[in-house]
Each structure stands twice: as C-alpha cells, then as structure tokens.
Amino acid sequence: MTADNRLATLLAEYNEVEQMLADPSIHADQALARKTGRRFAELSPIAKTSGELDQVRADLSVARELAAEDAAFAAEADELEERIPVLEGRLAELLAPRDPNDAKDVILEVKAGEGGEESALFAGDLLRMYQRYAERHGWATEILDSQESDLGGYKDVAIAIKTRGIPDGGNGVWSRLKWEGGVHRVQRVPATESQGRIHTSAAGVLVTPEVEEAGDVEIDQNDLRIDVFRSSGPGGQSVNTTDSAVRITHLPTGIVVSCQNERSQLQNKDRAMRMLHAKLVALAEEQAAAAAGDARRSQVRTVDRSERIRTYNYPQNRISDHRIGYTAYNLDIALGGELDSVLDALADADRKARLAGEDQLSRG
C-alpha cells in the first residue's frame, strides 16, 4: 500500500471512529468505549498533521498568486514553503507501521536469576525503579503476585502497570516499557559481601501487553490444571492458614502462572487468569510473526549473565544498554525512576529502523 493510500485509509477510519464516539450509546459498553477512544487517540495526530499540511499547501498557493502582484507576500510564501517538508516528514513518521500494542497497558515480571540473594535484591531494585517511573508518568501500578526473599528482595514478582484514561497519541505503557524485556545485569558490592568485592548477578524482566478483552484469546477450561496451595513468604514459611494460593497450568503450551498475594482463592485465580490471558495472546502474536518470517527473539531465555540487554554498574554510576550502544553515568537517577533518556534512545533507534523499512529494533 502506498503512503497516499494508507493515509486515505487511516483518515477514513478516523472519521468513522469520531462518529462512533459521538454516539452516546457507545458508552454503555465501557470496554468498547475505551478501545475506541484509544484508537481515536492514535489516529488524531495523523489527521491533525495531514490537515495542517493541506492548509499550508493551500496557503502557499494563495501566497504565490498574491506575490506576483505584491512583493510583500513573497516572504510569507517562502516561510510557508519551508514548513512543508517539516510537516511531510512528521506525517511520514506517523504513517510508518507502528506496534499495534503501543496503546496497551502491561504486565511486567521481574525474576531473580544467577547470584542468589543478591540477584533477588537486584530484582527488588528493578521493581522499585519501574514503580517510580510509573509514578512519574501518572500511571497506576498493582502487584499481582510476588515471592519475597529472606533479605527483602524478590525471587519473582509480577506487576500490572496501567495508564489513567486514554493515553495521549495512543502511546500507552507498552509503547515505553516494551524495551525492558530481557536480562538485566548488575555489578556492585552485595550487601552479603564482607570483603568489599564487586559481584555480578542478573535478573530477568518480561513485559507483556495486558489483554483488554477475554475474547482476544479463547481458553478452554479443559486445557487448564488448577492447583491450590498455601501462600508462603521468605524462607518458605506459611503466611496463610488456608489453601488460597492458585497455580494455573495451560497444558497445551506448558505456560504456568500463579498468584498468592490475596487471601481469597477467587481473587488469586482471577489475577492468575489475567496473567495467563496476556501470555497466551503474546504467544499467539509471536507465532504469527514467526509464520510471517519476522520472529522476535525471546525476551528472557535463561536468566544468566551472558544474554544481557543492560548493565547497571554501581561503582561507576553507569547504565549501559548493549542493544544500541547507549551509556550514561546517571545510574542513581535512573534507579530513581528517570528512565526516559535510555527509553527515548531505544525508541529513536526503532523509529529510524521503521522509517528505513528495516525490521524493528529487537526487544531483548
């Protein structure tokens, strides 16, 4: 499809979505209203830029005609002519194929890897970094499940991160945090180290777009094995006297999810099903991409020190993203939730690849 045809198609969709939102009956279905609102937010910058470009071209035509009779209009014509390539570039960027999940919320999991207790402490540091980043952007967070370590870190933790309302320009949580999936490596003196030696350990991060509607994927209840058990805390001690924790195994794929944070077995099951839905949709999308010859590498293969996407070096106060050669000496600020500089660099590299017609930047 040519750029002109794509623009015409998207502008037609914009008009259709605008009419849908003007119909009061759509708000009877909150899920549909939210989905339609997000699509309108995605299309609005395209419609606005296209309209502005059309207006500048029309004004330029008029200015040129007037300049033929009055030289005073020549300067205005020159100014309008300079704006056209800027608007054309912006429109080309907006028309470049985008990730269809960009407007979605996410489920983010952090798993301790090599390094024992130090890795679990680092997993806790990563969790707090993402919580602070979410807070800076006005996003809501909800811990779905967690397994704490003896020293206050996390062996495994899953958190839902959501936008409040409709994300501006269709750029939701996924559009920013999709780059975080992979192995994160830390170099520092552990709290458990008495000799002051620098150790290296790792934690894995998995980011999945959250499913808005259960209809996005069908789950046959006969394909599920549901086990209940007592919740456990650090050291494996029981923190609940009833079998409220839930583990769900999807037999066809082998995907396992669990939740033990709530005292109600039903609440834990609901949260586990949310995570399972998200994982199954992500798996289906990855299989479809592989069938089209555009398979993405797994975000987390084995949580070891070799397959890293980013290194956090405490002695040098350095953060390095190995996918794009990014390095900055502001690790303390990044851990405080100021991740925009590295995420902007990753998004810019991906945008350039898309405009060049290349494969999108790998997310891990």
Side-chain angles (χ1 to χ4, degrees):
M1 181 184 294
T2 65
D4 288 343
N5 289 339
R6 177 170 169 75
L7 176 59
T9 300
L10 293 175
L11 290 178
E13 184 184 359
Y14 171 82
N15 291 329
E16 180 181 344
V17 170
E18 188 176 35
Q19 291 176 7
M20 289 177 64
L21 288 174
D23 185 350
S25 65
I26 193 176
H27 298 288
D29 185 340
Q30 288 299 312
L32 177 61
R34 180 175 172 83
K35 186 175 182 179
T36 306
R38 285 186 169 186
R39 184 56 178 160
F40 182 76
E42 291 175 4
L43 295 171
S44 292
I46 296 174
K48 180 181 178 181
T49 304
S50 175
E52 188 176 352
L53 179 58
D54 288 343
Q55 186 61 57
V56 170
R57 284 171 172 165
D59 291 346
L60 175 60
S61 179
V62 172
R64 281 173 174 167
E65 290 180 7
L66 294 174
E69 301 175 1
D70 186 344
F73 287 98
E76 181 180 348
D78 290 341
E79 181 181 338
L80 290 168
E81 195 165 9
E82 290 177 358
R83 289 182 59 194
I84 288 178
V86 175
L87 290 170
E88 289 176 335
R90 186 188 308 167
L91 186 59
E93 183 175 317
L94 291 169
L95 290 176
R98 65 179 291 167
D99 189 327
N101 291 320
D102 272 352
K104 290 186 177 181
D105 299 322
V106 307
I107 293 176
L108 185 147
E109 299 171 70
V110 186
K111 301 175 183 292
E114 286 188 1
E117 192 65 48
E118 164 62 6
S119 177
L121 290 171
F122 177 51
D125 293 335
L126 290 176
L127 171 66
R128 286 183 286 275
M129 178 181 75
Y130 294 127
Q131 288 175 316
R132 290 164 180 163
Y133 182 73
E135 184 179 346
R136 285 174 177 268
H137 284 263
W139 297 337
T141 61
E142 172 193 10
I143 292 183
L144 301 177
D145 189 38
S146 62
Q147 296 180 42
E148 295 184 24
S149 68
D150 291 335
L151 296 183
Y154 287 93
K155 298 176 183 177
D156 195 340
V157 59
I159 181 173
I161 306 178
K162 297 177 173 289
T163 55
R164 302 180 190 273
I166 303 300
D168 185 33
N171 295 314
V173 182
W174 173 259
S175 72
R176 299 299 289 168
L177 294 185
K178 60 185 173 183
W179 316 113
E180 294 306 287
V183 176
H184 297 238
R185 182 178 71 165
V186 63
Q187 296 171 325
R188 65 184 178 187
V189 178
T192 55
E193 169 60 54
S194 59
Q195 303 298 320
R197 293 173 298 184
I198 296 173
H199 285 225
T200 298
S201 60
V205 176
L206 180 65
V207 189
T208 311
E210 181 155 18
V211 179
E212 293 182 358
E213 304 174 24
D216 286 356
V217 63
E218 293 184 8
I219 298 179
D220 187 337
Q221 294 298 312
N222 293 324
D223 289 338
L224 302 180
R225 186 178 71 233
I226 301 178
D227 302 307
V228 295
F229 55 98
R230 291 188 181 182
S231 303
S232 62
Q237 72 267 30
S238 175
V239 295
N240 201 334
T241 58
T242 61
D243 292 337
S244 62
V246 175
R247 180 187 300 109
I248 301 177
T249 304
H250 186 251
L251 300 174
T253 62
I255 293 175
V256 179
V257 294
S258 63
C259 186
Q260 63 174 5
N261 278 34
E262 300 298 329
R263 292 189 175 275
S264 162
Q265 185 182 119
L266 182 59
Q267 287 178 310
N268 281 328
K269 182 181 177 182
D270 286 344
R271 287 187 170 193
M273 287 298 294
R274 279 173 61 188
M275 290 190 282
L276 179 60
H277 271 111
K279 287 177 180 290
L280 288 174
V281 169
L283 177 62
E285 290 178 350
E286 191 155 325
Q287 289 174 337
D294 185 31
R296 292 182 301 175
R297 292 181 296 163
S298 173
Q299 293 185 63
V300 180
R301 300 175 186 83
T302 56
V303 185
D304 61 22
R305 292 191 293 263
S306 61
E307 299 201 28
R308 64 190 185 279
I309 64 164
R310 190 176 298 154
T311 294
Y312 304 75
N313 185 295
Y314 276 66
Q316 298 178 14
N317 197 36
R318 170 173 57 84
I319 180 171
S320 300
D321 195 288
H322 308 292
R323 293 165 292 183
I324 56 172
Y326 173 94
T327 295
Y329 294 88
N330 59 355
L331 176 58
D332 52 339
I333 295 175
L335 289 171
E338 183 47 75
L339 284 172
D340 280 328
S341 58
V342 62
L343 296 181
D344 285 344
L346 286 160
D348 186 57
D350 180 69
R351 181 166 51 250
K352 290 177 179 177
R354 287 187 290 109
L355 288 172
E358 301 169 3
D359 290 341
Q360 293 185 20
L361 179 69
S362 173
R363 291 186 289 274

